[in-house]
Amino acid sequence: MAFDGLFTRAIVTELQQLVGGRINRVHQPNEYEVVLTMRAQRKNVKLLLSAHPSYARVQLTEETITNPPEPTMFCTILRRHIESGIITAIEQVDNDRIIHFTIASHNEIGDPITRTLIMEVMGRHSNLMVVDPGDDKIIEALKHLPPYMNSFRTVLPGATYVSPPEQEKKNPFTISEEELFDIYHKLEKGRDFIQYLQGIAPIHATELYALLKQNLQFQTYRHFIESFETLPFQPVVMKKDGRDIFSAHPLTTADEVIYEAKSLGDLLDRVYFEKADRERVRAQAQDLEKWLANERAKLVKKEKVLQKEYQDAEKLDDFQLYGELLMAHHYQIEANAKEVTVENYYDGSEVTIPLDPRKTAIENANRYYTKYTKAKNALIQLKEQMRLTKEELDYFETLLQQVEMATPDDIDEIREELIENGYMRKRRSKKKEKKKKMVIERYESSTGIPIAVGKNNKQNDHVTFKLASRHHTWLHTKDIPGSHVVILSDNPDETTLQEAAVIAAYFSKARTSSNVPVDYTEIRHVKKPSGAKPGFVNYFEQQTLFVTPDEQLVRQLKQ
């Protein structure tokens, strides 16, 4: 990836549209992210500020991030200082990954104040702080850094803000022609530029070196550097040496372009949002996922035990034969014998039968008849237990698949489902829990037909049996755990059917596979058996499509 100083310059350039915009709302969806909802240039926009250790970034986003019911202390303080404020300036510090947002606001008694929101995009050291520019005192920080952890700078409320230590490198935007060529002639390979130029990642260093090798002119250098502060950008995701990279413009040293974005925000949504969303859900659902995995492991073990018991019980024909042969040959069996070999009058072979030496031949025969009866009854019971265990195992497999693709709200509904079905105990809470309204994910096909998707079993039942009509089209991956998908139309076209099948394949356990079978039929052919678990249905009169999941298509179709 390449969220370096050059890309930061491009982000700051794109964010200039926010200058003069009003911050209407401040949210903190989780411990690492803050979202500012604002009105700028006559439209509503969302600015995401993320200090995530792996996915730190600043961007405009069109994605929806679920907020917790109660704000954090940091969020509360931010609201107090910058909510309803006007952004008056957005500036990058040199060519570093540090951005200052200057905000004109008012305090609690209405007096005008100025606050600086400082975003440091520094990998696992990333941070977000609100600072009083009058005395450079930190009002609050997303992550605290006490003196014993860092002797150079303290990041605590009341401490003086100190910038991260400067690197002994040249700012690529202010470097002279003489300095550039002096550096160039010291290089052995392109990535060596990172030793001399501030805030330049290996992929941009390699690109710059390749361009200069083709045309060693200062104008070549200036054209490349200035492209990161000149609109319009051509943001792309590219392949290079088998891995994904991104930049504000296509790079000649990349192997191929795999995605062209409409903006830097769109680009970063494509690169980071799915991964960051997985992290959000994983943090919230860690205990649930572990519990589900443990339950699945228990069921797998139980299934193996039942299969062994069933194999043992299948010997009932031997027990019946032993009883019959002992009754037929009881007169020739010696007392206290541990076994006897007799002729099997069914096929003329010889059969050796184990005996209990404490019992007579007739008693041994009756013992085998009793074993036969028990085994016969056991087979009936074991078949039923194996069926129920298989259903339970499929159910937990489905839940685990749903957790993998869930949103935070979906996780809450999965917990509710497990509580309602007696699998988990309800958590004790002093606060009265509000009943959340179910939110169904909606999509629209390229031809304008609405599509609904269930992301968990509660939602699956809702879209199939409440939202859809009898002649709407229902889709589900064939013999693979996945979502119920419904085309909300009586007569969908082929394009809609194909796109809905791609959505069904994407929201299934086969998400990373290709040529995934997806069944489709009308809702009237989908039935829920009496007493069946949530999300479980039988269906018939189905046809099958084979499709390959396409994340980009799914994102484009989402409403």
Side-chain angles (χ1 to χ4, degrees):
M1 297 302 180
F3 204 117
D4 60 356
L6 294 180
F7 193 84
T8 302
R9 179 63 60 101
I11 284 287
V12 168
T13 302
E14 183 169 278
L15 294 183
Q16 292 307 307
Q17 62 183 288
L18 301 182
V19 174
R22 179 182 296 275
I23 300 170
N24 293 325
R25 201 67 180 146
V26 178
H27 290 289
Q28 187 181 352
N30 52 67
E31 62 177 319
Y32 296 123
E33 295 175 328
V34 168
V35 176
L36 306 183
T37 304
M38 59 184 69
R39 183 78 177 171
Q41 296 190 358
R42 299 183 180 180
K43 60 182 179 180
N44 296 322
V45 294
K46 289 184 293 187
L47 176 65
L48 172 64
L49 305 162
S50 174
H52 191 283
S54 302
Y55 312 123
R57 64 203 187 279
V58 178
Q59 65 164 112
L60 292 174
T61 182
E62 295 180 2
E63 299 288 353
T64 300
I65 307 174
T66 304
N67 295 306
E70 298 293 332
T72 63
M73 179 62 73
F74 182 69
C75 181
T76 301
I77 292 172
L78 272 188
R79 287 177 178 178
R80 187 183 307 153
H81 287 269
I82 69 171
E83 208 164 67
S84 298
I86 304 294
I87 295 180
T88 59
I90 303 175
E91 300 166 302
Q92 179 186 20
V93 176
D94 294 329
N95 193 47
D96 214 338
R97 291 174 295 170
I98 303 173
I99 303 174
H100 287 198
F101 297 84
T102 305
I103 301 165
S105 187
H106 293 84
N107 61 19
E108 293 171 329
I109 60 174
D111 294 333
I113 57 172
T114 299
R115 295 290 180 257
T116 304
L117 195 60
I118 300 176
M119 182 70 214
E120 299 176 350
V121 183
M122 304 276 180
R124 63 190 180 92
H125 301 296
S126 298
N127 209 344
L128 177 64
M129 289 159 271
V130 59
V131 174
D132 184 343
D135 56 10
D136 285 334
K137 296 294 184 184
I138 297 172
I139 295 169
E140 186 54 282
L142 192 64
K143 301 176 185 176
H144 290 178
L145 192 65
Y148 68 84
M149 291 182 66
N150 190 317
S151 58
F152 178 80
R153 65 194 298 239
T154 298
V155 181
L156 287 173
T160 300
Y161 173 76
V162 176
S163 294
E166 293 184 6
Q167 299 175 321
E168 296 299 321
K169 298 180 182 181
K170 300 290 185 181
N171 184 338
F173 288 92
T174 58
I175 194 173
S176 68
E177 183 175 354
E178 182 182 351
E179 289 172 320
L180 170 68
F181 291 129
D182 180 55
I183 291 170
Y184 178 81
H185 292 301
K186 294 177 182 177
L187 305 180
E188 294 183 7
K189 54 185 181 296
R191 63 180 294 125
D192 290 345
F193 259 128
I194 65 177
Q195 299 175 26
Y196 302 97
L197 297 181
Q198 180 190 40
I200 185 166
I203 66 163
H204 289 139
T206 303
E207 176 74 5
L208 176 59
Y209 185 71
L211 293 173
L212 289 172
K213 280 194 74 174
Q214 291 176 7
N215 185 16
L216 189 55
Q217 300 288 330
F218 189 62
Q219 188 59 34
T220 303
Y221 171 81
R222 291 302 306 169
H223 182 267
F224 175 74
I225 291 297
E226 288 172 1
S227 71
F228 289 91
E229 57 180 2
T230 308
L231 293 171
F233 299 120
Q234 297 174 273
V236 287
V237 180
M238 299 158 284
K239 280 284 184 188
K240 181 175 173 62
D241 300 329
R243 62 190 181 90
D244 290 355
I245 60 172
F246 65 83
S247 182
H249 296 282
L251 304 178
T252 62
T253 51
D255 300 327
E256 62 173 324
V257 172
I258 58 176
Y259 179 66
E260 296 178 6
K262 60 186 180 183
S263 65
L264 297 180
D266 176 46
L267 174 75
L268 295 176
D269 277 343
R270 161 75 185 223
V271 171
Y272 286 121
F273 188 80
E274 187 74 22
K275 297 173 184 176
D277 211 29
R278 291 294 96 233
E279 287 288 329
R280 296 184 198 107
V281 173
R282 190 169 288 116
Q284 181 178 335
Q286 191 173 18
D287 60 327
L288 176 61
E289 196 167 14
K290 185 176 180 181
W291 183 86
L292 288 171
N294 287 337
E295 292 300 307
R296 180 181 59 180
K298 290 178 190 175
L299 288 167
V300 168
K301 186 176 180 180
K302 181 179 179 180
E303 191 176 46
K304 288 180 180 178
V305 171
L306 289 173
Q307 287 172 348
K308 177 66 169 61
E309 290 178 358
Y310 190 84
Q311 290 170 0
D312 292 341
E314 280 186 314
K315 297 176 182 177
L316 61 88
D317 289 338
D318 290 343
F319 297 150
Q320 185 179 29
L321 177 63
Y322 289 170
E324 291 176 357
L325 294 180
L326 287 175
M327 291 298 286
H329 298 282
H330 69 89
Y331 57 88
Q332 64 186 75
I333 298 172
E334 296 179 2
N336 302 322
K338 293 184 178 179
E339 63 178 32
V340 63
T341 301
V342 296
E343 181 185 2
N344 182 353
Y345 47 71
Y346 286 108
D347 58 13
S349 63
E350 288 190 337
V351 178
T352 299
I353 303 172
L355 299 173
D356 184 342
R358 296 167 298 176
K359 298 181 183 293
T360 65
I362 299 297
E363 288 173 337
N364 272 293
N366 288 331
R367 182 168 68 91
Y368 278 115
Y369 281 135
T370 301
K371 278 189 173 186
Y372 167 76
T373 302
K374 285 183 178 179
K376 191 174 181 180
N377 292 333
L379 275 179
I380 297 171
Q381 294 174 6
L382 285 168
K383 274 185 181 179
E384 180 62 12
Q385 287 185 46
M386 288 170 71
R387 182 187 69 80
L388 293 173
T389 301
K390 179 68 166 61
E391 282 185 7
E392 294 273 285
L393 191 53
D394 289 345
Y395 177 62
F396 281 99
E397 288 280 4
T398 299
L399 290 176
L400 279 164
Q401 174 264 328
Q402 290 172 354
V403 168
E404 286 178 11
M405 297 183 296
T407 65
D409 284 343
D410 296 333
I411 293 296
D412 290 339
E413 289 176 357
I414 291 171
R415 289 188 196 275
E416 285 175 18
E417 178 188 330
L418 288 166
I419 291 167
E420 288 171 5
N421 286 278
Y423 289 104
M424 298 181 76
R425 291 182 179 179
K426 190 171 183 178
R427 293 175 172 178
R428 291 184 179 181
S429 177
K430 294 181 180 179
K431 296 180 181 178
K432 188 176 181 180
E433 295 181 8
K434 294 180 181 178
K435 184 76 173 177
K436 287 186 178 180
K437 184 180 178 181
M438 184 180 292
V439 179
I440 300 298
E441 277 199 10
R442 302 279 185 149
Y443 295 79
E444 188 177 283
S445 73
S446 302
T447 55
I449 295 178
I451 300 168
V453 178
K455 297 286 292 299
N456 56 53
N457 289 327
K458 279 177 166 271
Q459 293 181 16
N460 285 338
D461 282 349
H462 182 81
V463 299
T464 301
F465 299 111
K466 293 185 179 180
L467 188 63
S469 299
R470 279 174 54 79
H471 296 289
H472 288 168
T473 302
W474 181 89
L475 303 94
H476 193 282
T477 41
K478 184 180 181 68
D479 301 325
I480 300 169
S483 293
H484 292 200
V485 176
V486 175
I487 302 172
L488 301 172
S489 169
D490 289 357
N491 189 27
D493 55 80
E494 285 299 319
T495 298
T496 299
L497 190 59
Q498 192 76 18
E499 289 175 345
V502 170
I503 292 171
Y506 180 77
F507 288 109
S508 78
K509 199 173 182 180
R511 173 183 284 201
T512 58
S513 304
S514 58
N515 212 29
V516 178
V518 177
D519 287 340
Y520 68 95
T521 188
E522 288 189 4
I523 286 290
R524 62 196 176 98
H525 299 313
V526 182
K527 307 295 180 185
K528 189 172 188 66
S530 177
K533 286 184 168 55
F536 182 82
V537 296
N538 290 327
Y539 59 92
F540 50 96
E541 300 292 333
Q542 73 270 20
Q543 298 180 64
T544 306
L545 289 171
F546 290 85
V547 297
T548 297
D550 183 340
E551 180 183 351
Q552 185 53 35
L553 176 62
V554 173
R555 290 171 67 89
Q556 287 175 358
L557 300 179
K558 187 174 180 182
Q559 294 295 292

